Amino acid sequence: MTNLILPRGISRRGLLQGAAAIGAAGLILPAGARSAMAQAKKGGVFRIGLGHGSSTDSYDPGLWEQLYVQTFAAARVNYLVEIAADGTLVPELAESWSSADGITWAFAIRQGVTFHSGKTMTPDDVVASLNHHRGDASTSAVKPFFDPVTDIKVDGQNVIVTLNAPNADFPYLMSDYHIPVLPSADGKIDPNTSDGTGGYIVESYEPGVQATMNRNPNYWKADRAHFDQIIMLTILDPAARLNALMTGEVDLIDQVDPASISLLESRGVSRIISVSGNAHYVFPMDARAAPFNDNNVRLALKYAFDRQELVDKILAGHGSVSNDNPIGPANRYFHAEMEAKTYDPDKAKFHLKEAGLDTLEVTLSAANAAFSGAVDAAVLMSEKAAAAGITITVDRVPDDGYWDNVWMKKPFCASYWGGRPVEDQMFTTAYAAGAAWNESFWDNARFNELLVAARSELDDTKRREMYHEMQQLVSFEGSTIIPMYNNYVMAVANNVGTPEKISANWNLDGFRCVERWWFA
Amino acid sequence: MTDIWRMIARRLLLGLLTLFVISLVIFGATELLPGDLARELLGQSATEETLAALREQLGLNDPAPVRYWNWLTGVLQGDFGVSMATQKPISELVGARLGNTLFLALYAAALSVPLSLLLGVLAALWRNSIFDRASNAMALTSISFPEFFVAYILVLFLAQTGIFPSMVRITAATTFGDRIYMAFLPALTLTLVVTAHMMRMTRAAIINLLASPYIEMARLKGMSPLRVVLRHAVPNALAPIINVVALNLAYLITGVVVVEVVFVYPGLGQLMVDAVTNRDIAVVQAIALIFAAAYVLLNLIADVLSTITNPRLMHRR
């Protein structure tokens, strides 16, 4: 009963136009969500077992970084905007947004929404929530998003955000899971509050163990949050997670080990949901260090392994081949027509020769902390690369401290990205010269120039051309090997109802399974 | 009796010294680990700027001896501090987990201690019989498998058939009866793992004594074998048995993280692993002290009890 959901027509309407239309027509829900409403039933206790969560998890939104806290947040808070299942931006706490020049953005804040504490949500709360991620004392992970923001102020029921340069995608950034609207006092939010405007009220929470939430009776969305109660459990052991689902202890688990999928299906008590999104696994190479400072060496490595083999063996088919492209098929400006790279030892040898080399010896540092199966993937690449005269020595490093000691420290290692809903966000985060997370230290003048130009370009066709050219640059001149897009694989009990289309922007229906799903 | 009290006092003082040394070692070891709490909390998304700000907030910029001194003075005043990650008092964070861990340890002990003593005595009584061989073989088999394997086997036969739950969801509101029911599989796993050790020691200690002349005398006087063992052999075999039981109780408190993970049991072991992974040193220190204290206290109790059961030790000169 594998339910393979592929991204289909993603809206291509210009963002500014779209925002205006939404503003005029009020709340427009995507078609998928409407049909789901008709079938959704209320009630039940939804129990979720996730392979994340630790006793050090906190309520501070700036520190959220894994699926447990992300989903926990989606249940109790709301954001200014939401990414719908079809990838378009729809209103949430902001009823509409507009900008004449891409520099000054006005968000019209919804009226009559209350927090769980009974306090009414005001534009002041929005300003305080955004300011939590700005300033020298901010410890927020999304502080870089707010670097271009010069001013945030209240104007009646609107919140006005001013940037230092035009950014057509700025409203998209406001959908990021780090930026919920929380209650404020004296211009500051309390980062340790469990309060929010979301569909569920926290009854109890023990970090790393369990959270229990009850439905918010005053939730402002009538057609969302169908369960009476949600229990979220941390189950770190993959076998314990499978057991919990098979013995009926939980109704949803994440991170199903690809090797156990067929076993799970044969039991007949649950179904697998496999959603292809923008998430991808990567092997960044330090573009500043020899031999990776020569693009021919990088190209040789890109042709020296079998991408389909990795998809088949590491992902058990739950994914697709990537052409060294961090922009995924669920993105608006995905470049699908690029020349595909296949396993071609001769081509790899040709590029080696261009670089003035006969053979190449490199060390690839990998740990499964980067992604599940990273070490196996490295070994498979090493086996295939031998035919092209390339010796890849796989250095298996410990999971503990991986992001500290290996990532961005060793010249060639494994890493992953959750994918970003916006092209600019992905490129700015990991490919712009000097970006804090530019893991390959790549610096391409043409790319950097296009990045700034595309951000402020308001003509859709021109933007598309620019983003296509940038994808081409990353793919053929970039310093990151991107072999595959990994699907989000989860399993649910048979009686869990899901919308026809499941969001691909993040795992678990964009974290919103808690308010979009129901018991059939 | 004053000797006993003097011994307890001396051992308690030594125990405190041990705890102090352990806290130094643990602190030093966590300092050696690469990375720090700020880095772990921000994960892949850390930038130099946010790292610096978070380190400032968490007080990670002080030199290590200053941080250790601040922690030590707090502990001496009974304040274990707050978790650096969640800003919750550590007593609150650790308290509930400690309760869960002690519950599971006592539950497993309540199953395994009587079982292994009974099996040990019977095996000694019927030495080299089929019963002796079978109980030995079974106990050794279960201790030889890794804990998680025993746990999965139990899950396969007892949880997937729906008799017992495969995971333990204990909250403050769970009743005692429910706890007993839900924690049965982890307790049984631990019982299988520790029984062999205690049973074999009981058997060996008793068999050792059965060769003594005074036992021979008792037999010649025509006592029943059971009475010989229970009345004459067991009291003299208590010292080694008490020691091995204490050692296993300490293991049940400190060493069950694998069983906790398999059964999703919210105990101290899991919390300690989390805290080490995230470099939340205050929590690591508190738990390490609890574990060390468990060993110190249980060993002390074992020594006191074996002294009391052995008059020769009471009056040594």
Side-chain angles (χ1 to χ4, degrees):
Chain A
M1 290 200 43
T2 303
N3 190 359
L4 198 66
I5 294 159
L6 291 162
R8 279 169 291 150
I10 284 157
S11 166
R12 303 203 162 140
R13 66 187 171 181
L15 189 80
L16 296 171
Q17 272 167 276
I22 287 165
L27 183 68
I28 298 173
L29 282 174
R34 260 205 308 273
S35 68
M37 264 156 44
Q39 312 152 8
K41 276 207 314 204
K42 299 252 176 228
V45 179
F46 190 46
R47 298 155 306 167
I48 308 172
L50 300 180
H52 296 272
S54 128
S55 48
T56 51
D57 291 343
S58 79
Y59 277 121
D60 184 347
L63 298 179
W64 294 343
E65 61 145 351
Q66 34 81 358
L67 191 61
Y68 190 98
V69 281
Q70 288 158 343
T71 312
F72 184 35
R76 50 172 220 275
V77 299
N78 291 127
Y79 297 84
L80 280 181
V81 289
E82 172 182 352
I83 298 205
D86 60 0
T88 55
L89 200 63
V90 297
E92 199 168 14
L93 288 179
E95 277 180 313
S96 66
W97 50 91
S98 60
S99 174
D101 50 8
I103 289 182
T104 310
W105 284 91
F107 293 87
I109 306 302
R110 193 175 295 278
Q111 290 184 332
V113 176
T114 55
F115 289 102
H116 301 156
S117 58
K119 178 185 176 315
T120 304
M121 193 265 308
T122 65
D124 288 322
D125 295 320
V126 175
V127 172
S129 299
L130 298 185
N131 278 335
H132 179 66
H133 307 278
R134 297 173 69 208
D136 290 337
S138 174
T139 58
S140 171
V142 288
K143 200 174 158 187
F145 288 9
F146 287 88
D147 282 345
V149 173
T150 54
D151 185 46
I152 301 179
K153 64 171 192 276
V154 175
D155 174 25
Q157 194 59 25
N158 289 336
V159 168
I160 314 286
V161 180
T162 314
L163 310 177
N164 60 9
N167 184 349
D169 288 330
F170 185 74
Y172 266 97
L173 295 181
M174 293 300 106
S175 74
D176 190 276
Y177 61 85
H178 289 97
I179 320 175
V181 175
L182 298 177
S184 70
D186 304 326
K188 279 205 153 97
I189 58 162
D190 169 10
N192 295 316
T193 181
S194 67
D195 202 359
T197 55
Y200 294 90
I201 302 171
V202 179
E203 180 188 302
S204 67
Y205 175 44
E206 192 184 340
V209 181
Q210 177 170 341
T212 307
M213 290 167 283
N214 297 314
R215 191 177 194 283
N216 175 4
N218 305 319
Y219 194 33
W220 59 274
K221 293 185 196 173
D223 55 330
R224 290 285 187 88
H226 306 293
F227 305 108
D228 289 336
Q229 190 177 54
I230 289 180
I231 295 178
M232 287 183 63
L233 299 159
T234 291
I235 308 179
L236 297 178
D237 183 41
R241 246 182 354 263
L242 272 183
N243 270 322
L245 182 69
M246 286 194 294
T247 56
E249 296 279 330
V250 297
D251 307 303
L252 162 68
I253 59 172
D254 73 324
Q255 288 186 347
V256 182
D257 178 12
S260 1
I261 287 175
S262 59
L263 290 173
L264 192 58
E265 284 175 328
S266 70
R267 293 292 292 251
V269 293
S270 53
R271 67 176 198 273
I272 302 282
I273 298 177
S274 183
V275 185
S276 74
N278 298 332
H280 51 277
Y281 296 155
V282 301
F283 294 96
M285 303 170 274
D286 187 344
R288 303 166 305 178
F292 305 115
N293 51 2
D294 187 332
N295 191 40
N296 276 307
V297 170
R298 307 198 295 245
L299 277 174
L301 281 165
K302 286 174 182 174
Y303 284 110
F305 70 99
D306 188 345
R307 289 156 202 266
Q308 190 58 47
E309 183 187 34
L310 292 189
V311 171
D312 293 342
K313 292 185 177 161
I314 303 297
L315 302 176
H318 288 273
S320 51
V321 163
S322 170
N323 195 12
D324 300 314
N325 188 354
I327 304 305
N331 277 115
R332 282 172 300 168
Y333 302 119
F334 174 61
H335 189 357
E337 295 88 37
M338 268 193 292
E339 179 206 332
K341 297 194 196 74
T342 50
Y343 175 51
D344 190 341
D346 291 332
K347 215 163 192 169
K349 274 185 187 154
F350 166 78
H351 284 291
L352 272 190
K353 198 151 277 166
E354 290 284 298
L357 298 168
D358 287 331
T359 57
L360 177 67
E361 283 186 25
V362 293
T363 301
L364 172 53
S365 309
N368 287 344
F371 56 86
S372 155
V375 178
D376 292 341
V379 171
L380 287 174
M381 288 167 72
S382 159
E383 292 292 317
K384 281 287 190 306
I390 300 175
T391 311
I392 300 180
T393 311
V394 179
D395 177 18
R396 182 173 189 164
V397 293
D399 282 353
D400 187 76
Y402 183 80
W403 303 111
D404 233 7
N405 310 318
V406 178
W407 184 64
M408 293 186 77
K409 300 269 179 2
K410 301 277 185 196
F412 190 18
C413 66
S415 169
Y416 78 100
W417 287 94
R420 295 290 185 272
V422 188
E423 291 76 2
D424 177 58
Q425 201 183 348
M426 188 70 237
F427 283 145
T428 308
T429 312
Y431 296 88
W437 309 317
N438 181 345
E439 50 190 356
S440 63
F441 302 95
W442 188 55
D443 183 356
N444 182 297
R446 173 69 183 153
F447 178 87
N448 296 332
E449 184 188 314
L450 278 170
L451 185 61
V452 178
R455 191 180 299 151
S456 48
E457 176 60 61
L458 304 180
D459 178 340
D460 198 52
T461 321
K462 280 189 193 154
R463 275 192 105 194
R464 172 174 308 280
E465 278 169 18
M466 289 177 179
Y467 279 122
H468 279 196
E469 187 182 344
M470 284 155 81
Q471 289 171 57
Q472 184 84 23
L473 283 171
V474 171
S475 179
F476 287 89
E477 290 177 40
S479 193
T480 309
I481 295 177
I482 308 177
M484 53 195 164
Y485 302 108
N486 54 303
N487 283 8
Y488 296 119
V489 182
M490 50 209 123
V492 294
N494 281 336
N495 61 344
V496 174
T498 52
E500 246 171 79
K501 179 147 179 57
I502 291 180
S503 193
N505 60 326
W506 293 107
N507 206 343
L508 299 186
D509 204 354
F511 310 137
R512 289 174 187 260
C513 60
V514 278
E515 71 165 35
R516 287 180 185 167
W517 296 6
W518 64 91
F519 278 124
Chain B
M1 222 35 204
T2 41
D3 281 356
I4 290 280
W5 290 115
R6 198 172 298 152
M7 181 183 108
I8 292 177
R10 204 181 64 231
R11 290 286 295 274
L12 280 178
L13 281 176
L14 281 174
L16 280 180
L17 186 67
T18 313
L19 292 187
F20 170 70
V21 172
I22 285 172
S23 79
L24 262 180
V25 171
I26 297 282
F27 189 84
T30 42
E31 281 298 302
L32 288 181
L33 288 173
D36 65 6
L37 176 67
R39 182 78 222 195
E40 293 301 327
L41 285 184
L42 288 167
Q44 193 199 16
S45 55
T47 65
E48 283 311 314
E49 261 180 81
T50 48
L51 275 177
L54 191 59
R55 285 198 180 114
E56 184 65 41
Q57 272 185 19
L58 296 171
L60 292 174
N61 287 331
D62 294 335
V66 175
R67 275 181 285 133
Y68 181 74
W69 177 251
N70 290 343
W71 174 81
L72 188 67
T73 46
V75 169
L76 290 179
Q77 291 159 17
D79 175 16
F80 277 89
V82 293
S83 155
M84 291 192 285
T86 53
Q87 300 301 322
K88 276 208 246 170
I90 285 183
S91 46
E92 189 184 306
L93 196 67
V94 171
R97 298 290 192 104
L98 178 62
N100 290 343
T101 288
L102 288 180
F103 173 76
L104 183 59
L106 289 177
Y107 190 177
L111 291 178
S112 61
V113 173
L115 178 71
S116 45
L117 292 188
L118 184 71
L119 287 177
V121 169
L122 291 179
L125 198 62
W126 300 324
R127 182 151 48 128
N128 295 337
S129 68
I130 296 283
F131 174 82
D132 183 22
R133 299 268 159 86
S135 53
N136 263 316
M138 269 159 62
L140 287 176
T141 309
S142 63
I143 203 178
S144 307
F145 285 125
E147 287 164 29
F148 66 87
F149 183 76
V150 175
Y152 286 146
I153 294 288
L154 290 180
V155 166
L156 181 64
F157 288 111
L158 294 176
Q160 294 207 354
T161 47
I163 304 174
F164 289 100
S166 69
M167 54 184 289
V168 187
R169 272 175 36 209
I170 286 187
T171 59
T174 316
T175 62
F176 184 74
D178 279 350
R179 278 175 192 247
I180 293 282
Y181 172 65
M182 287 199 293
F184 180 72
L185 287 187
L188 186 60
T189 308
L190 290 172
T191 302
L192 289 173
V193 170
V194 298
T195 296
H197 196 190
M198 291 189 281
M199 176 210 145
R200 300 269 302 170
M201 188 55 107
T202 310
R203 178 181 177 274
I206 291 176
I207 286 177
N208 202 21
L209 284 170
L210 288 181
S212 330
Y214 81 97
I215 296 286
E216 193 82 359
M217 190 63 212
R219 282 217 189 101
L220 288 175
K221 278 159 84 180
M223 280 185 200
S224 72
L226 190 66
R227 189 172 159 81
V228 169
V229 167
L230 291 184
R231 188 80 187 85
H232 295 271
V234 167
N236 278 313
L238 273 181
I241 296 175
I242 287 169
N243 268 304
V244 76
V245 168
L247 208 61
N248 277 294
L249 285 182
Y251 168 78
L252 286 178
I253 292 173
T254 61
V256 299
V257 62
V258 171
V259 175
E260 283 178 14
V261 168
V262 172
F263 291 105
V264 202
Y265 190 89
L268 273 185
Q270 187 74 52
L271 184 63
M272 175 114 172
V273 170
D274 266 4
V276 172
T277 317
N278 290 308
R279 313 281 188 264
D280 196 344
I281 295 174
V283 178
V284 176
Q285 291 275 51
I287 299 175
L289 285 188
I290 289 175
F291 285 174
Y295 266 100
V296 169
L297 285 178
L298 283 165
N299 272 317
L300 175 61
I301 292 171
D303 285 356
V304 170
L305 286 180
S306 38
T307 310
I308 290 174
T309 57
N310 190 339
R312 271 176 303 178
L313 292 177
M314 289 272 275
H315 302 286
R316 71 187 135 183
R317 279 283 171 266

